[in-house]
Amino acid sequence: MKPRSAIKTDLFAFDAHRQKIDALGDPLAEIESHIDFAALAAEVDRVAPRPVSAQGGRPPYPTETMVRILVVKRLYNLSDEQMEYQLLDRMSYKRFCGLANATNVPDRTTVWTFENRIGEAGAKALFDGVSAQLLQKGFIARGGQIIDATLVPAPKQHNRRGEKELIEQGAMPASWRPAKRRQKDLDATWTKKHGKSHFGYKLSINADKKYKIIRRLETDTASTHDSQHFDNVFDTRNTSRDVYADRGYPSEQREAWLKENGFRNRIQRKGKRNKPLSECQQRRNKRIAKTRARVEHVFGAIEQMGGKLLRTIGQERANFAMTMMAACYNLKRLVYFRKAGIEAF
């Protein structure tokens, strides 16, 4: 007697699986229902127009398809190789990218080439495009601004002492072959935080207190001090005059500028050698910390998108990746607001 099995075969199994995914709640379907990807693609084509080949050749994939692929890649922190595999393997990815019935999907080289073509300007266009859609829904910057920075790690470089000296002088070791040179990140830098060494880059952001949306951003290497990005990420459009930041940002010149321009200084104080903070200053820092900590929720959400580790080489591509981090975070934030029925006011 043939043993019974719960496995059943059906020519329409694919449709049944797709319906089950919809019933369980496909997060990519939710993103698609609330984000205008055609508008985002138009912004990318505006700042990075497609090159026109007079000789013809294979037609390119639509920009909207490639933008969707970049969003999936960043949301789940996938490599180009993994992105190609998942597009072939995962039903939800193919459907989201408009490739459910396509006989061919973009390979790893196509994804890599598209990223290089649009570059940092294209990533910034995506960030601005998502920000514009947030503003259209009424989610303007409210409640005050919070400025902070996070370290974005990159694969550590293991160089000999002599090689390090040459690199610091702007030279390249003669023993490195071209293939090895392409795998060496000479732009990322080391820094120390809480007694631990970190190698990579830095992402500085300005998030508003009300909605925890990234309003402005700045990218750099890890060794750059957080306070150097303060002016570049400062947002004058916030409806509140409160400015929050941690103990890495205070200075007499900055406090004077904030007061002169009518902003309320909510930057935490920092003790000095032989001059510790008073009890009053400590209480002030504690009050500020309750609000300033909201920016850590932003960095935590970015960390949940597959982690912050970069797989790129060089600062230009690192800037692209970090800008995409911020754009995809804001994108998910907008989807959350729409799904939860949160209206701007």
Side-chain angles (χ1 to χ4, degrees):
M1 181 178 179
K2 186 177 180 180
R4 300 177 63 190
S5 173
I7 299 177
K8 297 179 180 180
T9 58
D10 194 325
L11 293 176
F12 302 99
F14 178 85
D15 294 331
H17 293 170
R18 184 171 57 186
Q19 292 174 6
K20 188 65 178 290
I21 289 175
D22 290 337
L24 292 174
D26 181 2
L28 293 178
E30 294 171 355
I31 290 175
E32 185 173 22
S33 64
H34 297 299
I35 302 297
D36 185 355
F37 281 97
L40 296 181
E43 280 297 303
V44 171
D45 282 336
R46 183 181 63 82
V47 301
R50 286 181 175 274
V52 179
S53 175
Q55 298 179 354
R58 187 179 69 177
Y61 287 95
T63 300
E64 183 177 344
T65 296
M66 298 306 299
V67 166
R68 288 170 178 261
I69 288 174
L70 293 188
V71 168
V72 173
K73 179 184 172 184
R74 185 62 259 168
L75 286 175
Y76 300 102
N77 198 11
L78 300 173
S79 64
D80 293 338
E81 292 78 7
Q82 273 294 310
M83 191 67 247
E84 178 185 358
Y85 176 82
Q86 296 294 346
L87 282 174
L88 292 168
D89 183 64
R90 298 195 63 157
M91 182 191 309
S92 58
Y93 286 15
K94 286 187 286 189
R95 182 172 63 170
F96 176 75
C97 297
L99 300 168
N101 299 316
T103 57
N104 59 324
V105 303
D107 58 19
R108 65 196 72 181
T109 303
T110 303
V111 177
W112 184 86
T113 302
F114 182 78
E115 283 190 358
N116 280 348
R117 181 176 73 78
I118 67 173
E120 189 178 351
K124 188 63 167 58
L126 287 174
F127 176 82
D128 292 340
V130 175
S131 298
Q133 293 189 32
L134 280 160
L135 293 177
Q136 289 171 3
K137 305 296 183 183
F139 294 102
I140 63 175
R142 294 179 180 274
Q145 54 188 301
I146 312 172
I147 296 173
D148 203 358
T150 185
L151 293 170
V152 180
K156 296 180 177 64
Q157 304 293 301
H158 301 284
N159 302 318
R160 297 185 180 90
R161 181 175 299 178
E163 293 174 339
K164 292 180 181 178
E165 293 175 354
L166 286 173
I167 292 171
E168 290 174 356
Q169 297 172 6
M172 187 80 69
S175 60
W176 286 3
R177 295 182 178 182
K180 185 174 182 178
R181 294 178 183 179
R182 288 193 294 269
Q183 298 302 316
K184 287 292 185 179
D185 191 341
L186 305 182
D187 297 330
T189 56
W190 288 92
T191 190
K192 277 198 172 184
K193 186 175 183 180
H194 304 311
K196 293 184 178 181
S197 296
H198 300 269
F199 181 79
Y201 296 88
K202 180 166 290 184
L203 172 64
S204 295
I205 66 168
N206 181 313
D208 67 312
K209 174 188 172 184
K210 175 66 177 178
Y211 299 116
K212 293 190 291 189
I213 294 170
I214 299 176
R215 301 298 176 173
R216 301 191 67 177
L217 64 92
E218 183 77 10
T219 58
D220 214 323
T221 59
S223 60
T224 305
H225 196 273
D226 298 359
S227 62
Q228 294 187 26
H229 292 163
F230 185 92
D231 295 337
N232 293 338
V233 300
F234 194 86
D235 184 13
T236 58
R237 297 171 296 180
N238 198 294
T239 60
S240 172
R241 309 300 284 178
D242 292 332
V243 180
Y244 296 87
D246 64 20
R247 290 174 292 180
Y249 292 89
S251 71
E252 294 181 1
Q253 295 83 356
R254 182 160 293 139
E255 292 179 9
W257 184 88
L258 291 173
K259 184 177 181 180
E260 181 181 348
N261 288 273
F263 291 97
R264 287 185 287 271
N265 181 6
R266 300 290 186 263
I267 302 176
Q268 292 180 310
R269 305 293 186 193
K270 183 178 181 180
K272 299 179 181 179
R273 182 177 296 180
N274 300 324
K275 192 178 180 181
L277 295 178
S278 65
E279 291 185 5
C280 179
Q281 290 174 323
Q282 291 179 17
R283 288 196 298 269
R284 178 182 180 273
N285 279 359
K286 191 173 182 179
R287 289 196 303 270
I288 292 173
K290 293 179 180 179
T291 299
R292 195 211 64 80
R294 290 176 66 81
V295 75
E296 301 298 341
H297 303 167
V298 178
F299 295 138
I302 293 176
E303 181 69 34
Q304 289 177 350
M305 295 191 309
K308 293 184 292 186
L309 176 68
L310 298 179
R311 292 187 175 91
T312 58
I313 303 295
Q315 186 167 0
E316 185 176 347
R317 290 181 62 80
N319 291 345
F320 175 91
M322 289 187 285
T323 305
M324 286 299 300
M325 286 182 191
C328 288
Y329 166 80
N330 280 354
L331 180 147
K332 289 189 67 176
R333 197 75 182 140
L334 175 56
V335 172
Y336 165 75
F337 291 146
R338 306 306 291 175
K339 181 182 176 182
I342 298 174
E343 298 294 337
F345 64 90

